[in-house]
Amino acid sequence: MNLRKLLRPPQPRLPLTGHEPSPVPVPAVDRLRDDDLQQLNSLLKWNCYTVDSRGRRFGDCARAGKRELPQPIPDRRIALFDQACGLTGRSVLEVGCFEGVHTIGLAQAGAQVTAVDARMENVVKTMLRCQFYGVVPDVRRCDLEVQAELESLPDVDLLHHVGVLYHLVDPVRHLQALAPKVRRGLMLDTHVATAETARHMLLSGGRQWRCQRYAEGGVGEVFSGMYDHAAWLVLDDLLQLLVELGFAQTRVHEHRDERNGPRVLIFAERGLPA
Ligand SMILES: C[S@@+](CC[C@H](N)C(=O)[O-])C[C@H]1O[C@@H](n2cnc3c(N)ncnc32)[C@H](O)[C@@H]1O
């Protein structure tokens, strides 16, 4: 067992009931008896949770301090994505779907969702959570850093890319391979390096990219990338890359200072007529 896992605080026991109820009914969960929902919650090692309209927990927090609060559906960024790009009737590829929370929000906004994750356990949890929320996305296991797996993905109108880029060993190669599959635009939420923290160079596509090398948990850590480190790009370089990949209308919607470093929410569009 690795040291990080040994030092991790034990998972708190969250109550089943007494959470802020979902304002929207979740019929397949709402009608479960408490003991059935308890069993559903303990069948798999859930790492985040949502709440039904009776204020009951579906899933679990990861550990103390990690996804301890319920995950809202929809996530606030999905409304922004909808305003920026229009989700209704559009095909959307969601990368790094984790346990399906954003997947449900996208599907409920009217998108046809293909959701992928490198970890089979996340694929299964996404399928199961979506089933209980009455949405039926196409959920697939795909490691976005394995070229052949990425190439097997369908072409789509829009790309939902939240919380994943900063987990990748080579984000440049990844975006270069993925961009041709995206017809219209994308929402990208990621950590970035600053000129001060970008002390390494990533050699990718025959070019050198300033980057911050960031330690990752690897395969055994469900939130993490698949390798022992990731490369965080400098914001200006990332924006320039998106423009080079054909997203002429690229804008930073928000800058956030988070525990692990600066983070941005980017919208990028090719500028096609609506
Ligand atoms: C920090 S979580 C973010 C989850 C979700 N998008 C969110 O914002 O809540 C990162 C997710 O990306 C997945 N992931 C990491 N590296 C990946 C890769 N190379 N290919 C596909 N999925 C990956 C992880 O398994 C995990 O589900």
Side-chain angles (χ1 to χ4, degrees):
M1 172 156 309
N2 76 26
L3 194 58
R4 260 200 232 195
K5 276 192 178 160
L6 275 175
L7 295 174
R8 198 170 282 164
Q11 188 174 331
R13 298 179 76 86
L14 289 177
L16 180 73
T17 57
H19 302 276
E20 177 75 34
S22 160
V24 181
V26 193
V29 184
D30 293 343
R31 64 173 167 255
L32 290 176
R33 296 185 328 211
D34 282 2
D35 58 334
D36 288 332
L37 184 52
Q38 283 283 26
Q39 190 181 13
L40 174 60
N41 288 343
S42 55
L43 282 173
L44 296 166
K45 167 69 186 83
W46 297 95
N47 289 299
C48 74
Y49 68 101
T50 53
V51 178
D52 72 2
S53 74
R54 297 165 61 189
R56 300 178 307 165
R57 170 172 55 84
F58 174 13
D60 209 340
C61 73
R63 54 183 182 263
K66 189 81 175 167
R67 307 251 173 166
E68 261 181 328
L69 295 174
Q71 308 286 294
I73 296 179
D75 175 83
R76 70 177 178 93
R77 287 162 293 194
I78 289 181
L80 297 172
F81 195 18
D82 194 20
Q83 280 161 23
C85 300
L87 292 172
T88 309
R90 294 258 157 82
S91 54
V92 177
L93 174 64
E94 180 202 5
V95 296
C97 59
F98 192 48
E99 295 185 357
V101 172
H102 298 318
T103 322
I104 295 164
L106 288 166
Q108 288 181 340
Q112 293 145 16
V113 188
T114 302
V116 303
D117 202 285
R119 293 184 169 82
M120 202 55 215
E121 67 170 285
N122 289 340
V123 169
V124 170
K125 288 176 201 164
T126 295
M127 287 174 166
L128 192 57
R129 197 188 294 278
C130 285
Q131 180 73 31
F132 274 97
Y133 275 78
V135 296
V136 191
D138 177 1
V139 191
R140 306 180 185 190
R141 200 210 64 83
C142 169
D143 183 339
L144 300 157
E145 298 214 85
V146 176
Q147 197 73 10
E149 293 189 16
L150 190 147
E151 278 166 12
S152 73
L153 296 175
D155 288 357
V156 288
D157 297 319
L158 299 168
L159 174 65
H160 179 281
H161 204 306
V162 174
V164 181
L165 195 72
Y166 57 87
H167 288 302
L168 305 184
V169 159
D170 188 342
V172 175
R173 188 179 55 198
H174 162 76
L175 287 175
Q176 285 170 336
L178 202 50
K181 294 189 170 291
V182 181
R183 285 187 283 263
R184 304 191 72 89
L186 59 88
M187 177 170 80
L188 172 61
D189 191 311
T190 184
H191 281 294
V192 287
T194 63
E196 292 72 41
T197 59
R199 295 192 201 98
H200 285 83
M201 283 291 176
L202 169 71
L203 179 62
S204 184
R207 272 158 71 180
Q208 298 243 329
W209 300 80
R210 296 173 291 168
C211 74
Q212 177 179 346
R213 211 179 142 103
Y214 197 88
E216 283 285 304
V219 178
E221 161 63 60
V222 287
F223 289 93
S224 169
M226 304 305 278
Y227 298 95
D228 67 353
H229 72 277
W232 292 12
L233 298 174
V234 174
L235 177 58
D236 287 348
D237 297 348
L238 175 58
L239 296 175
Q240 180 58 33
L241 174 62
L242 290 172
V243 172
E244 284 173 21
L245 292 174
F247 298 97
Q249 298 168 8
T250 293
R251 67 185 166 92
V252 181
H253 181 82
E254 81 190 17
H255 293 260
R256 310 198 294 278
D257 251 324
E258 294 197 351
R259 190 167 41 102
N260 294 329
R263 191 160 169 164
V264 289
L265 178 62
I266 296 170
F267 289 101
E269 288 181 86
R270 294 196 187 277
L272 302 180

